[in-house]
Amino acid sequence: KAGVTQTPRYLIKTRGQQVTLSCSPISGHRSVSWYQQTPGQGLQFLFEYFSETQRNKGNFPGRFSGRQFSNSRSEMNVSTLELGDSALYLCASSSLGPGSVDTEAFFGQGTRLTVV
Amino acid sequence: AQSVTQLDSQVPVFEEAPVELRCNYSSSVSVYLFWYVQYPNQGLQLLLKYLSGSTLVKGINGFEAEFNKSQTSFHLRKPSVHISDTAEYFCAGDTGRRALTFGSGTRLQVQP
């Protein structure tokens, strides 16, 4: 069974540009969450999608957005990139829906975004 | 709001020695607790989780943790560490919203 796949693994962008990151969850998983990991702020929750609906959102500006497709694949978009957006972006998928935590969240290897 | 505090940023330990990584949480609602491990340039792997029931939770790779409600703690332990356990460990909580709140991480450095 394939794991969570995130593409690309590495990305370099210029300030002001926008970027789209992709996450393919484990087959059968309908919940996809996104996290930002930086040395200064640690791991922070961005948002969670289930069946194409955003269920939860973290405390990030509107420049950060996401979506989920009918096949559960998810994309995250960051517009007007800032230097502080440089981070490892992690995606996690799980099989159960909201309100249930009795399942494991499987993480991808992440996309390392560098903004120059 | 929920918060998770990992009291040690780095823990050096010799191989085959026991280790404890400390985690405290604060929450006004029921909480689910997790320990994750992250190896260099990798994502996170779940070590163990506490949802309810027995307060002593056993996980993979010989790790275990004890949920202590009165002390609001969820410390991770291993009786004998190996070089391969060198990694960063994260304690995390979830109030049921499927949004993990992570601690700042503890870097475990196992020395020969």
Side-chain angles (χ1 to χ4, degrees):
Chain A
K1 197 172 187 181
V4 178
T5 303
Q6 291 188 245
T7 56
R9 286 293 311 277
Y10 302 92
L11 206 48
I12 300 175
K13 288 287 188 179
T14 304
R15 271 183 303 175
Q17 287 186 312
Q18 75 164 16
V19 67
T20 299
L21 312 182
S22 179
C23 173
S24 294
I26 291 171
S27 178
H29 286 191
R30 295 165 64 190
S31 172
V32 174
S33 302
W34 288 88
Y35 294 85
Q36 182 196 63
Q37 185 176 23
T38 61
Q41 300 298 317
L43 279 153
Q44 294 184 290
F45 171 75
L46 280 156
F47 27 65
E48 186 249 352
Y49 287 87
F50 181 79
S51 292
E52 303 178 65
T53 301
Q54 186 183 90
R55 306 293 301 203
N56 291 303
K57 189 177 191 303
N59 189 25
F60 278 81
R63 299 186 298 106
F64 291 81
S65 63
R67 59 178 175 170
Q68 186 180 34
F69 302 95
S70 58
N71 62 358
S72 294
R73 189 177 70 86
S74 178
E75 287 182 347
M76 191 193 98
N77 185 275
V78 188
S79 62
T80 320
L81 283 166
E82 300 176 0
L83 294 179
D85 297 333
S86 295
L88 180 67
Y89 290 89
L90 292 165
C91 162
S93 78
S94 59
S95 59
L96 296 182
S100 174
V101 291
D102 191 11
T103 186
E104 177 176 350
F106 292 83
F107 282 81
Q109 291 187 300
T111 294
R112 184 165 296 281
L113 171 65
T114 302
V115 182
V116 297
Chain B
Q2 179 184 57
S3 70
V4 175
T5 303
Q6 290 183 245
L7 301 167
D8 306 296
S9 59
Q10 291 190 64
V11 173
V13 63
F14 287 107
E15 194 173 18
E16 298 183 7
V19 71
E20 178 179 83
L21 306 184
R22 298 181 292 170
C23 172
N24 285 89
Y25 69 93
S26 67
S27 176
S28 59
V29 298
S30 297
V31 64
Y32 308 100
L33 295 166
F34 308 80
W35 274 99
Y36 285 86
V37 61
Q38 186 177 35
Y39 299 101
N41 299 315
Q42 298 291 319
L44 301 171
Q45 180 183 13
L46 182 69
L47 283 175
L48 47 78
K49 59 187 176 185
Y50 172 78
L51 304 178
S52 64
S54 173
T55 56
L56 183 62
V57 181
K58 292 192 182 295
I60 63 171
N61 301 340
F63 285 94
E64 63 180 34
E66 185 159 15
F67 173 68
N68 189 319
K69 189 173 182 179
S70 62
Q71 297 186 8
T72 61
S73 68
F74 189 57
H75 301 333
L76 181 71
R77 302 185 182 100
K78 185 168 183 178
S80 175
V81 295
H82 304 288
I83 294 286
S84 59
D85 292 323
T86 295
E88 186 134 24
Y89 292 79
F90 293 93
C91 181
D94 188 340
T95 57
R97 296 177 61 245
R98 304 204 62 76
L100 291 166
T101 298
F102 285 90
S104 55
T106 297
R107 186 171 300 278
L108 177 64
Q109 297 166 310
V110 181
Q111 303 162 5

